[in-house]
Amino acid sequence: MKPFKLALALVASCFLWTTSAQALTLNVAAGDPEDSEMGVVGNTFKKFIEEKTNGEVKVEVFYNASLGDETECLRNVQKGTLPIAIAGIANIVPFQSKLGILTLPYLFSNLDEVVVGTNGAPAEILNKYATEVGFRILTWTYTDFRYISNSKHPIETIDDIKDLKFRVPQSAVLIAAYKAFGGSPTPISWAETFTALQQGVVDGQCYGYIGFRANKFIEANQKYLSEVHYTYQLQPMVMSERVFKKLDPKLQALIIEGGQLAQKAVLEYQIKEAQAAKEDIIAQGVVVSQLKDEEVWKKAAFEKVWTEMMDFVGGRDAVNMYLKACGKPEI
């Protein structure tokens, strides 16, 4: 039996997979629009898998949370009823708190450090944590620092964030970070974020330039954006470990290779397009500000958030193991 025909037989029980005599279709859930970093990942992965399997395996990517919000989709991936999802790291942390290491404020200073932290030995550590709860990380989607935007006024110092309400994911670390900075965090699902901003339920949110443009946040009253480098937004593409283990080894290898190719493609896209997206939103009237006191933000992060959240993300030993793998000083 040909490898991909065998793969079809093995996965016929997954109801979100559609099969015929000739093809298998893998559904992929994505929270963001197609003209975002998620679109680069989804389309690159789709093209690679379909070409390498001569059309015997098809990939269908559903954007704009059309299969449900990220938490719901991740739950289905964990159960094995949805093969693959692309979701923000903060939405995966409730399933595996150790991955919250990646949300510790000011863990990374720049994109180079982020790349080191999501490849090689650091990536192996993170994938081990993910597989413990049923996820296999195929791709790390690079989506820039989570710059803070709001509808009220520019944020140039830590005092400017006080009394502003911000949408945040259901992330204990990010909630603690906003409290440490003096803001008021409100957990809201990604699918409801645009409406919450538009209706004034919250004043602001946090996202990179490409995502800000793709999600049209300027239409949701987001007039001011500040380049706060407190956390880098990573959006892993994860596959159900239950589903992955049922596949023929040859197909498994292709899926891993396709995920790696997508990661390379989205990194190149991020480097190329972030500045263009920044210029686009400025041209549309968004006021972009730089912090005058980011060292004060860092001090609050390390003294308050890292101390408070250390046990939540696995303890000092786990954090130090990851820092060491990244070539960063231990704490």
Side-chain angles (χ1 to χ4, degrees), residues 154-167:
I155 296 173
E156 297 181 343
T157 71
I158 201 166
D159 289 335
D160 295 332
I161 199 173
K162 292 179 180 177
D163 301 322
L164 293 178
K165 296 179 293 183
F166 292 92
R167 177 271 170 184

Side-chain angles (χ1 to χ4, degrees), residues 20-192:
S20 69
Q22 299 298 321
L24 163 73
T25 300
L26 293 173
N27 286 346
V28 181
D32 284 355
E34 187 172 357
D35 58 342
S36 69
E37 295 94 340
M38 285 191 184
V40 175
V41 169
N43 290 335
T44 301
F45 183 75
K46 171 183 173 68
K47 184 174 185 291
F48 177 84
I49 295 298
E50 291 182 349
E51 287 183 351
K52 290 296 183 179
T53 62
N54 296 316
E56 288 189 4
V57 178
K58 296 187 180 298
V59 176
E60 295 295 337
V61 189
F62 296 83
Y63 296 102
N64 293 303
S66 57
L67 292 186
D69 67 29
E70 290 187 356
T71 298
E72 178 184 358
C73 290
L74 288 168
R75 191 174 295 115
N76 288 333
V77 170
Q78 188 180 50
K79 291 188 296 186
T81 56
L82 174 66
I84 302 170
I86 312 172
I89 187 63
N91 288 323
I92 299 180
V93 172
F95 297 89
Q96 173 54 282
S97 61
K98 292 177 183 177
L99 291 173
I101 291 173
L102 293 174
T103 64
L104 288 170
Y106 293 101
L107 172 67
F108 300 119
S109 299
N110 52 55
L111 180 56
D112 288 342
E113 290 188 5
V114 176
V115 172
V116 169
T118 49
N119 285 277
E124 291 176 9
I125 292 172
L126 299 172
N127 198 48
K128 176 179 179 296
Y129 294 154
T131 54
E132 288 175 357
V133 294
F135 301 123
R136 173 173 291 268
I137 299 170
L138 302 177
T139 303
W140 288 102
T141 307
Y142 302 105
T143 60
D144 215 338
F145 285 92
R146 295 191 73 129
Y147 298 135
I148 296 175
S149 70
N150 79 96
S151 61
K152 302 296 186 183
H153 55 71
I155 296 173
E156 297 181 343
T157 71
I158 201 166
D159 289 335
D160 295 332
I161 199 173
K162 292 179 180 177
D163 301 322
L164 293 178
K165 296 179 293 183
F166 292 92
R167 177 271 170 184
V168 295
Q170 190 64 257
S171 164
V173 178
L174 290 181
I175 291 170
Y178 273 84
K179 288 180 178 178
F181 299 149
S184 178
T186 302
I188 295 174
S189 74
W190 181 240
E192 298 172 350

Side-chain angles (χ1 to χ4, degrees), residues 193-204:
T193 296
F194 188 91
T195 301
L197 292 167
Q198 201 168 46
Q199 295 179 350
V201 175
V202 288
D203 302 311

Side-chain angles (χ1 to χ4, degrees), residues 17 69 133 242 291:
W17 296 34
D69 67 29
V133 294
R242 291 183 180 183
L291 289 183

